[in-house]
Amino acid sequence: MQLTVRPTGTPVTATYWMSHAWLGTHVEPGVTLDVAGGRIAGVRTGIDAPPPGATALRGLTLPGLANTHSHAFHRALRSTVQVGSGTFWTWRELMYRAASRLTPDTYFDLARATYAEMALAGITSVGEFHYLHHAPGGTPYDNPNAMGEALIAAADAAGIRITLLDTAYLAAGFGERPNRHQLRFSDTTADAWAERASLLKGGDHALIGAAIHSVRAVPAGQLATVVRWAEERGAPLHVHLSEQTAENDACLTAHGRTPTRLLADHGVLGPRTTGIHNTHLTAEDIELLGNSGTGTCMCPTTERDLADGIGPAAALQRAGSPLSLGSDSHAVIDLFEEARAMELNERLRTHVRGHWTAAALLRAASADGHAALGRPDAGTLEPGAPADLTTVALDSVRTAGPTPRLAAEAAVFAASAADVRHTVVAGRHVVRDGRHTLVEDVPSALAEAIAALHG
């Protein structure tokens, strides 16, 4: 038996016994994990049966998953945007329509249900790329952060962690004023954005970060204000980058350089920064991102849903850009699908199999995602890490058959969110045996919240 001893004098508040656990490099049978103060206090291997008082987690237990990029209100668009054809830009008009109907109260309801769906999918932390700041027409609420605070409260009510990436969104395009839909998003200037964002408060379950919506939405001369705000706080900084070729073309026309080069020239790139999508990049762009240590968040289910294209994820990682994953528009909420889609997309493009191992894809879905959200200590089953876990069934119709030593491969390449049996956050059992412990009926909560927007 291998024993990792918990810190002396730290009271254990929960013990979990895992029939199989992913320990970063391999599947280990018979592992117990002690929790103290919401963190992992001790890990023991070689335990054949649950010790007295331990909660059994049967299946493959992984570090909790990190959903690095989310727009919670997009959950209301699922299926309704699948009628007819079009492009990202026609889809955007439907998105604006949904955004126009939200209030702080209805946003809380929708986000709570959406984050509960994430918990059911094994997600323990979400990066919420938040730009829906004001009332329709752009009038600030009496509480200027009413919408952001609704998201923070919704994550707490759903039992997951959140990094609220408060987003500067100031323009409709290069040199263009916000349109009538975008007035809700705009603080008019980066200084005004920074003043409002500075009022946000985090907590045990919530971190506050920053985001630049895109190079088309924040004038180049104001990028430095957002960067400085994040630097002063040691906060993560995210940015939509080169999702669409139209954005690249417009940036070249306006500035004579690619969006990546523009960000580099204004000090945006760096290890605390994550580019979202990074789809249409030049070789120089890839080098700039990799050499600066800027992360890449791939959102394959959204990128394929919106016909955006396949980003050069493998080339970016080789260049030095850490990879994470997000469900973005929530066409589905399933980090296993995001992980395997990144690999399978690369196979389709290159006609070669095996660009990432299951271990590498699990790291993108957990540790590297948590790091991108400002929690570099999360995403492992080791003493000192947050006690955030998820357990995947190994006996469903999708996962049954492979030997336990291939459980990681089964999880990444065969499992779905429906196979998640348990989710634990800070040592608390949020999903138990496939049922959410805080939101009694998640499907009904989703249906009611979405119906309220269409009523």
Side-chain angles (χ1 to χ4, degrees), residues 71-130:
H71 301 292
F73 76 91
H74 289 191
R75 177 61 180 84
L77 302 174
R78 187 181 294 178
S79 299
T80 64
V81 293
Q82 302 300 345
V83 178
S85 61
T87 66
F88 167 86
W89 307 101
T90 54
W91 170 89
R92 191 174 70 161
E93 292 302 314
L94 297 173
M95 179 268 289
Y96 284 156
R97 193 179 308 164
S100 70
R101 297 169 177 160
L102 285 162
T103 67
D105 288 341
T106 59
Y107 206 6
F108 169 84
D109 291 339
L110 177 58
R112 171 178 170 268
T114 302
Y115 296 153
E117 182 182 356
M118 291 184 193
L120 289 169
I123 293 163
T124 59
S125 187
V126 61
E128 185 61 39
F129 199 101
H130 167 57

Side-chain angles (χ1 to χ4, degrees), residues 353-381:
R353 303 175 75 243
H355 300 273
W356 292 278
T357 63
L361 293 169
L362 286 174
R363 182 174 180 84
S366 56
D368 285 344
H370 291 296
L373 297 179
R375 299 185 188 274
D377 57 342
T380 64
L381 302 184

Side-chain angles (χ1 to χ4, degrees), residues 6 74 262 283 399:
R6 63 180 179 269
H74 289 191
L262 184 67
T399 59

Side-chain angles (χ1 to χ4, degrees), residues 67-78 80 91 94-95 98-100 102-118 123 125-132 147-156 158 160-165 167 185 240 302 326-333 445-447 449-450 453-454:
N67 189 356
T68 307
H69 188 65
S70 161
H71 301 292
F73 76 91
H74 289 191
R75 177 61 180 84
L77 302 174
R78 187 181 294 178
T80 64
W91 170 89
L94 297 173
M95 179 268 289
S100 70
L102 285 162
T103 67
D105 288 341
T106 59
Y107 206 6
F108 169 84
D109 291 339
L110 177 58
R112 171 178 170 268
T114 302
Y115 296 153
E117 182 182 356
M118 291 184 193
I123 293 163
S125 187
V126 61
E128 185 61 39
F129 199 101
H130 167 57
Y131 54 81
L132 189 53
M147 296 294 267
E149 290 177 7
L151 292 165
I152 292 171
D156 188 40
I160 70 171
R161 303 182 193 273
I162 185 172
T163 298
L164 187 76
L165 298 157
T167 304
F185 312 158
H240 288 137
T302 291
S327 64
D328 192 358
S329 69
H330 313 314
V332 296
I333 294 177
L446 284 163
I450 293 168
L453 300 184
H454 298 303

Side-chain angles (χ1 to χ4, degrees), residues 365-416:
S366 56
D368 285 344
H370 291 296
L373 297 179
R375 299 185 188 274
D377 57 342
T380 64
L381 302 184
E382 299 176 358
D388 298 352
L389 330 167
T390 186
T391 303
V392 181
L394 297 179
D395 57 358
S396 76
V397 293
R398 287 165 292 277
T399 59
T403 61
R405 70 180 181 84
L406 295 176
E409 285 76 11
V412 172
F413 290 103
S416 77

Side-chain angles (χ1 to χ4, degrees), residues 178-411:
N179 64 34
R180 62 186 180 88
H181 300 293
Q182 296 163 338
L183 290 171
R184 294 199 75 173
F185 312 158
S186 178
D187 291 295
T188 69
T189 69
D191 285 336
W193 166 83
E195 183 178 357
R196 179 188 52 72
S198 295
L199 300 175
L200 285 162
K201 305 297 182 185
D204 289 342
H205 85 288
L207 299 178
I208 308 300
I212 294 162
H213 180 272
S214 56
V215 294
R216 69 178 186 274
V218 178
Q222 299 188 56
L223 292 169
T225 300
V226 186
V227 174
R228 184 167 57 251
W229 189 96
E231 285 179 344
E232 289 172 351
R233 292 159 178 78
L237 174 62
H238 289 206
V239 55
H240 288 137
L241 180 56
S242 289
E243 182 180 3
Q244 296 290 326
T245 55
E247 176 185 282
N248 288 2
D249 294 342
C251 190
L252 287 166
T253 298
H255 294 287
R257 64 200 83 175
T258 67
T260 302
R261 170 53 76 180
L262 184 67
L263 294 176
D265 290 347
H266 287 272
V268 178
L269 303 186
R272 275 203 318 276
T273 300
T274 298
I276 310 301
H277 303 301
N278 294 0
T279 306
H280 302 285
L281 304 177
T282 67
E284 181 192 35
D285 292 340
I286 293 171
E287 184 178 358
L288 286 168
L289 293 166
N291 288 346
S292 64
T294 301
T296 294
C297 177
M298 302 298 293
C299 306
T301 65
T302 291
E303 289 150 5
R304 72 191 184 195
D305 181 58
L306 299 182
D308 287 343
I310 300 172
L316 281 160
Q317 188 170 55
R318 286 194 299 269
S321 178
L323 299 180
S324 56
L325 297 164
S327 64
D328 192 358
S329 69
H330 313 314
V332 296
I333 294 177
D334 188 336
L335 264 289
F336 301 113
E337 177 63 20
E338 303 293 347
R340 67 173 157 264
M342 187 165 70
E343 165 66 26
L344 298 181
N345 284 351
E346 196 71 9
R347 293 182 187 186
L348 285 173
R349 181 167 61 180
T350 63
H351 301 178
V352 174
R353 303 175 75 243
H355 300 273
W356 292 278
T357 63
L361 293 169
L362 286 174
R363 182 174 180 84
S366 56
D368 285 344
H370 291 296
L373 297 179
R375 299 185 188 274
D377 57 342
T380 64
L381 302 184
E382 299 176 358
D388 298 352
L389 330 167
T390 186
T391 303
V392 181
L394 297 179
D395 57 358
S396 76
V397 293
R398 287 165 292 277
T399 59
T403 61
R405 70 180 181 84
L406 295 176
E409 285 76 11

Side-chain angles (χ1 to χ4, degrees), residues 396-439:
S396 76
V397 293
R398 287 165 292 277
T399 59
T403 61
R405 70 180 181 84
L406 295 176
E409 285 76 11
V412 172
F413 290 103
S416 77
D419 296 312
V420 170
R421 292 293 175 265
H422 303 280
T423 301
V424 173
V425 181
R428 178 172 67 166
H429 221 139
V430 175
V431 173
R432 186 191 298 268
D433 295 321
R435 295 189 63 84
H436 204 288
T437 63
L438 303 176
V439 182

